[in-house]
Amino acid sequence: EEASGAGKKDSAISSTEFDQFLTDRSAASNVPSISAQTGNQARNTR
Amino acid sequence: QAAPAAPVRQSEENGIQRFFKIPFARPADEYRDDGEKKHGMWYAHFDGKYIARQMEVYPDKEPVVMVAGVDDLNMCELSLEETGLSKKKGAEILGRDFETEWAKGKGPEYLKKNANKVSSKFLQKRLGIYLVYKL
Protein backbone atom coordinates (compact mmCIF):
# COMPACT_ATOMS: atom_id res chain seq x y z
CA GLU A 1 0.00 0.00 0.00
CA GLU A 2 1.15 3.51 -0.73
CA ALA A 3 1.61 5.92 2.09
CA SER A 4 0.61 9.23 0.67
CA GLY A 5 0.92 12.59 2.35
CA ALA A 6 3.83 11.47 4.49
CA GLY A 7 5.64 14.73 3.93
CA LYS A 8 7.77 16.39 1.29
CA LYS A 9 10.60 14.47 -0.27
CA ASP A 10 13.81 16.35 -0.89
CA SER A 11 14.43 14.39 -4.05
CA ALA A 12 12.05 16.33 -6.25
CA ILE A 13 13.72 18.56 -8.80
CA SER A 14 12.50 22.11 -8.56
CA SER A 15 12.29 22.70 -12.27
CA THR A 16 9.17 21.15 -13.74
CA GLU A 17 10.49 22.06 -17.17
CA PHE A 18 13.55 19.97 -16.55
CA ASP A 19 11.42 17.20 -15.11
CA GLN A 20 9.40 17.22 -18.31
CA PHE A 21 12.60 17.11 -20.34
CA LEU A 22 13.75 14.01 -18.48
CA THR A 23 10.37 12.37 -18.95
CA ASP A 24 10.50 13.09 -22.67
CA ARG A 25 14.00 11.69 -22.99
CA SER A 26 13.02 8.60 -21.07
CA ALA A 27 10.05 8.10 -23.36
CA ALA A 28 12.26 8.60 -26.40
CA SER A 29 14.42 5.73 -25.23
CA ASN A 30 11.54 3.35 -25.76
CA VAL A 31 11.52 3.88 -29.49
CA PRO A 32 14.40 3.08 -31.82
CA SER A 33 16.39 6.26 -32.10
CA ILE A 34 18.70 7.44 -34.82
CA SER A 35 21.81 8.24 -32.87
CA ALA A 36 25.46 8.43 -33.63
CA GLN A 37 25.86 4.87 -32.55
CA THR A 38 22.83 3.25 -34.15
CA GLY A 39 23.56 4.81 -37.52
CA ASN A 40 20.87 4.31 -40.13
CA GLN A 41 19.36 1.12 -38.78
CA ALA A 42 15.96 2.75 -38.61
CA ARG A 43 15.88 3.04 -42.38
CA ASN A 44 15.73 -0.71 -42.84
CA THR A 45 12.04 -1.01 -42.28
CA ARG A 46 11.48 -3.46 -45.12
CA GLN B 1 59.27 23.02 -10.64
CA ALA B 2 56.14 21.36 -9.48
CA ALA B 3 52.92 22.09 -11.31
CA PRO B 4 50.09 23.50 -9.20
CA ALA B 5 47.59 20.96 -8.01
CA ALA B 6 44.50 20.61 -10.13
CA PRO B 7 41.40 22.13 -8.57
CA VAL B 8 38.45 19.92 -7.78
CA ARG B 9 36.35 21.79 -10.29
CA GLN B 10 38.14 22.59 -13.47
CA SER B 11 37.61 26.26 -14.02
CA GLU B 12 37.92 27.70 -17.44
CA GLU B 13 37.69 31.26 -18.58
CA ASN B 14 34.09 30.70 -19.66
CA GLY B 15 32.85 29.07 -16.54
CA ILE B 16 33.03 26.19 -14.17
CA GLN B 17 32.77 22.62 -15.30
CA ARG B 18 30.14 20.70 -13.37
CA PHE B 19 28.89 17.18 -13.76
CA PHE B 20 25.57 15.60 -12.82
CA LYS B 21 23.88 12.25 -12.74
CA ILE B 22 20.12 11.82 -12.41
CA PRO B 23 17.97 8.71 -12.63
CA PHE B 24 15.28 8.84 -15.28
CA ALA B 25 12.88 7.40 -12.74
CA ARG B 26 10.41 9.84 -11.30
CA PRO B 27 10.40 10.23 -7.49
CA ALA B 28 7.54 7.75 -7.16
CA ASP B 29 9.54 5.15 -9.07
CA GLU B 30 12.55 5.39 -6.80
CA TYR B 31 10.80 3.26 -4.25
CA ARG B 32 9.93 0.51 -6.67
CA ASP B 33 12.13 -2.53 -7.09
CA ASP B 34 12.91 -1.90 -10.73
CA GLY B 35 12.68 1.89 -10.74
CA GLU B 36 16.23 2.93 -11.47
CA LYS B 37 17.17 -0.20 -13.34
CA LYS B 38 14.23 0.13 -15.69
CA HIS B 39 14.60 3.78 -16.54
CA GLY B 40 18.35 4.26 -16.66
CA MET B 41 20.46 7.28 -15.88
CA TRP B 42 20.98 10.71 -17.37
CA TYR B 43 24.42 12.29 -17.23
CA ALA B 44 25.34 15.86 -17.96
CA HIS B 45 28.41 18.03 -18.21
CA PHE B 46 27.78 21.74 -17.93
CA ASP B 47 30.39 24.12 -19.28
CA GLY B 48 29.48 27.20 -17.30
CA LYS B 49 25.76 27.88 -17.64
CA TYR B 50 24.96 25.50 -20.45
CA ILE B 51 25.26 21.83 -21.19
CA ALA B 52 28.26 20.64 -23.14
CA ARG B 53 27.80 16.88 -23.04
CA GLN B 54 24.86 14.65 -22.31
CA MET B 55 24.73 10.92 -21.97
CA GLU B 56 21.83 8.55 -21.47
CA VAL B 57 22.50 5.12 -20.08
CA TYR B 58 19.78 2.50 -20.32
CA PRO B 59 19.92 -0.99 -18.87
CA ASP B 60 19.07 -2.79 -22.10
CA LYS B 61 20.47 -0.43 -24.72
CA GLU B 62 23.72 1.08 -25.84
CA PRO B 63 24.52 4.35 -24.08
CA VAL B 64 23.62 7.42 -26.10
CA VAL B 65 26.16 10.22 -26.09
CA MET B 66 25.43 13.76 -27.22
CA VAL B 67 27.53 16.86 -27.66
CA ALA B 68 26.46 20.49 -27.78
CA GLY B 69 26.76 21.83 -31.29
CA VAL B 70 25.98 18.42 -32.76
CA ASP B 71 22.94 17.04 -30.96
CA ASP B 72 21.34 20.22 -29.66
CA LEU B 73 17.81 19.13 -30.55
CA ASN B 74 17.93 16.24 -28.14
CA MET B 75 19.89 17.96 -25.42
CA CYS B 76 18.81 19.91 -22.40
CA GLU B 77 18.41 23.49 -23.47
CA LEU B 78 17.86 24.87 -19.99
CA SER B 79 20.60 26.68 -18.16
CA LEU B 80 22.13 24.95 -15.17
CA GLU B 81 20.24 27.24 -12.85
CA GLU B 82 16.95 26.54 -14.60
CA THR B 83 17.37 22.78 -14.24
CA GLY B 84 17.64 23.03 -10.47
CA LEU B 85 20.35 20.37 -10.61
CA SER B 86 22.77 22.26 -8.42
CA LYS B 87 20.19 22.20 -5.62
CA LYS B 88 19.43 18.55 -5.99
CA LYS B 89 21.23 16.55 -3.33
CA GLY B 90 23.39 13.77 -4.64
CA ALA B 91 23.01 14.83 -8.27
CA GLU B 92 26.45 16.38 -8.70
CA ILE B 93 29.26 13.96 -9.42
CA LEU B 94 32.98 14.25 -9.90
CA GLY B 95 34.32 14.96 -13.35
CA ARG B 96 36.32 11.77 -13.28
CA ASP B 97 33.18 9.74 -12.62
CA PHE B 98 31.48 11.39 -15.57
CA GLU B 99 34.50 10.74 -17.78
CA THR B 100 34.51 7.08 -16.79
CA GLU B 101 30.92 6.67 -17.92
CA TRP B 102 31.54 8.83 -20.98
CA ALA B 103 34.37 6.55 -22.03
CA LYS B 104 32.17 3.48 -21.58
CA GLY B 105 29.67 5.04 -23.96
CA LYS B 106 32.39 5.66 -26.56
CA GLY B 107 32.02 9.38 -25.97
CA PRO B 108 35.65 10.28 -26.69
CA GLU B 109 35.42 8.71 -30.15
CA TYR B 110 32.16 10.50 -30.88
CA LEU B 111 33.67 13.77 -29.71
CA LYS B 112 36.68 13.41 -31.98
CA LYS B 113 34.48 12.48 -34.90
CA ASN B 114 32.47 15.67 -34.49
CA ALA B 115 35.28 17.89 -33.25
CA ASN B 116 34.63 20.58 -35.84
CA LYS B 117 31.05 21.10 -34.63
CA VAL B 118 31.60 21.15 -30.88
CA SER B 119 30.36 24.42 -29.39
CA SER B 120 31.74 24.12 -25.86
CA LYS B 121 34.88 26.17 -25.43
CA PHE B 122 36.08 23.76 -22.78
CA LEU B 123 35.76 20.81 -25.12
CA GLN B 124 37.27 22.72 -28.01
CA LYS B 125 40.35 23.33 -25.92
CA ARG B 126 40.48 19.75 -24.84
CA LEU B 127 40.30 18.68 -28.46
CA GLY B 128 43.04 21.11 -29.31
CA ILE B 129 40.79 23.35 -31.33
CA TYR B 130 41.66 27.00 -31.09
CA LEU B 131 39.47 29.35 -33.00
CA VAL B 132 41.42 32.30 -34.28
CA TYR B 133 39.51 35.28 -35.54
CA LYS B 134 41.34 37.78 -37.70
CA LEU B 135 40.21 41.34 -37.39
Side-chain angles (χ1 to χ4, degrees):
Chain A
E1 289 184 14
E2 285 184 33
S4 58
K8 264 192 167 181
K9 301 279 180 196
D10 195 35
S11 57
I13 298 173
S14 59
S15 167
T16 53
E17 215 175 335
F18 179 64
D19 203 24
Q20 184 60 48
F21 165 75
L22 277 187
T23 304
D24 291 346
R25 291 306 307 158
S26 182
S29 75
N30 293 323
V31 292
S33 60
I34 301 173
S35 71
Q37 290 170 17
T38 55
N40 57 5
Q41 290 173 357
R43 290 180 185 176
N44 302 324
T45 51
R46 289 206 171 186
Chain B
Q1 292 175 353
V8 175
R9 284 177 189 163
Q10 303 141 335
S11 66
E12 286 286 319
E13 61 188 41
N14 292 304
I16 294 173
Q17 310 307 308
R18 296 180 76 176
F19 304 85
F20 298 90
K21 175 186 177 184
I22 283 281
F24 275 122
R26 283 169 245 178
D29 294 330
E30 289 175 12
Y31 304 98
R32 292 179 185 164
D33 290 343
D34 62 348
E36 192 168 307
K37 289 178 191 170
K38 191 176 177 183
H39 294 278
M41 301 294 288
W42 183 83
Y43 290 83
H45 162 209
F46 280 82
D47 177 4
K49 276 178 73 175
Y50 294 102
I51 199 163
R53 286 180 286 172
Q54 177 175 308
M55 181 167 65
E56 296 167 1
V57 178
Y58 305 105
D60 50 357
K61 287 178 71 175
E62 293 264 315
V64 179
V65 293
M66 300 178 202
V67 179
V70 183
D71 304 292
D72 295 343
L73 289 177
N74 291 318
M75 294 179 75
C76 178
E77 60 183 12
L78 301 171
S79 69
L80 177 56
E81 192 180 354
E82 286 169 335
T83 63
L85 277 169
S86 53
K87 293 174 189 166
K88 164 97 174 150
K89 284 182 184 173
E92 188 158 13
I93 60 172
L94 294 172
R96 64 183 299 174
D97 293 336
F98 177 91
E99 298 300 347
T100 300
E101 294 300 322
W102 181 255
K104 284 183 196 171
K106 298 177 185 173
E109 296 160 33
Y110 184 60
L111 202 53
K112 277 185 187 175
K113 194 175 161 187
N114 295 284
N116 58 336
K117 296 177 190 170
V118 171
S119 59
S120 159
K121 295 277 191 296
F122 174 83
L123 293 177
Q124 286 174 356
K125 284 185 181 178
R126 181 183 278 190
L127 289 162
I129 299 168
Y130 294 91
L131 299 176
V132 179
Y133 298 98
K134 288 185 179 178
L135 297 175

